[in-house]
Amino acid sequence: MYEIERKFLVDKSRLKLPRKFKTIEQGYLMRAEGRSLRVRKVDGGYILTLKIGKGARRIEIERPLNKAEGAELMQRALDPAIAKKRYAVKHGKHIWDVDVFKAENKGLVLAEIELSDENEAFERPDWVTREVTGDRLFQNSTLASHPISLWREAFEEFCQPPASTVD
């Protein structure tokens, strides 16, 4: 019922993606402070997901939907659906979900790692950059209503490595 997940921006130039991926579309049916209800289409099947909480540890409840239910709910989403490809990338003892966003969020690549404990140690790959766990701008529910295309210049600036200071 609880998920512990950390999220990072990805330096695409350092990551070699596997050939296999899942095609994902997701729409949000409800969005409020610290909670969301979404419908997700994954390679033709549908899942309804409720998430409650902020930060790395949140309640997550998922239920499968039949195609008719899923398609109907997707049509009733608050915003256009998010489109992305999800790759499973093994690094160290963990599998990272790497999402390559399409359409209005094109250019955004995020990596998520699910942990069994908030303090669990993990090997951080060199292709992950800035941690954005808990950053509202990079939550999928926000990306649906406020996609990268609306703030591309600020997004590109945010993704730049910090300038080094010379003494």
Side-chain angles (χ1 to χ4, degrees):
M1 180 148 112
Y2 280 97
E3 95 172 331
I4 299 167
E5 179 181 85
R6 292 183 56 190
K7 188 182 290 193
F8 300 82
L9 292 173
V10 171
D11 179 346
K12 298 171 280 198
S13 69
R14 295 182 184 176
L15 175 63
K16 182 171 173 30
L17 291 169
R19 288 185 173 198
K20 292 177 71 175
F21 60 86
K22 294 178 183 177
T23 301
I24 297 175
E25 292 177 45
Q26 62 191 47
Y28 285 84
L29 305 168
M30 187 270 300
R31 182 175 39 243
E33 186 65 30
R35 57 190 66 218
S36 67
L37 181 65
R38 74 169 183 229
V39 60
R40 178 182 272 179
K41 181 179 180 184
V42 182
D43 291 336
Y46 291 90
I47 301 167
L48 185 68
T49 305
L50 172 68
K51 288 194 176 197
I52 300 174
K54 296 180 184 179
R57 186 174 191 263
R58 300 183 294 174
I59 292 173
E60 180 181 76
I61 299 172
E62 293 186 327
R63 298 291 182 265
L65 299 171
N66 66 44
K67 286 187 179 188
E69 292 169 329
E72 179 70 24
L73 290 177
M74 192 66 84
Q75 290 295 316
R76 296 180 184 275
L78 298 170
D79 308 292
I82 289 177
K84 59 188 176 180
K85 290 181 179 177
R86 175 165 284 175
Y87 298 84
V89 179
K90 181 161 177 45
H91 185 82
K93 297 178 183 178
H94 293 89
I95 303 290
W96 291 71
D97 287 332
V98 176
D99 290 341
V100 178
F101 288 79
K102 303 295 180 193
E104 294 298 308
N105 288 297
K106 186 175 182 175
L108 176 61
V109 181
L110 292 173
E112 300 174 348
I113 183 171
E114 286 204 22
L115 304 170
S116 56
D117 180 270
E118 289 176 80
N119 298 313
E120 179 181 348
F122 62 92
E123 188 178 325
R124 187 172 168 157
D126 69 346
W127 41 264
V128 299
T129 60
R130 186 177 297 201
E131 182 166 7
V132 293
T133 303
D135 186 329
R136 193 165 182 264
L137 285 173
F138 294 99
Q139 292 175 346
N140 284 293
S141 60
T142 301
L143 292 168
S145 64
H146 195 66
I148 297 296
S149 62
L150 297 178
W151 57 288
R152 177 140 332 263
E153 191 173 309
F155 166 68
E156 290 173 0
E157 187 176 312
F158 181 85
C159 292
Q160 293 300 314
S164 61
T165 57
V166 179
D167 291 80

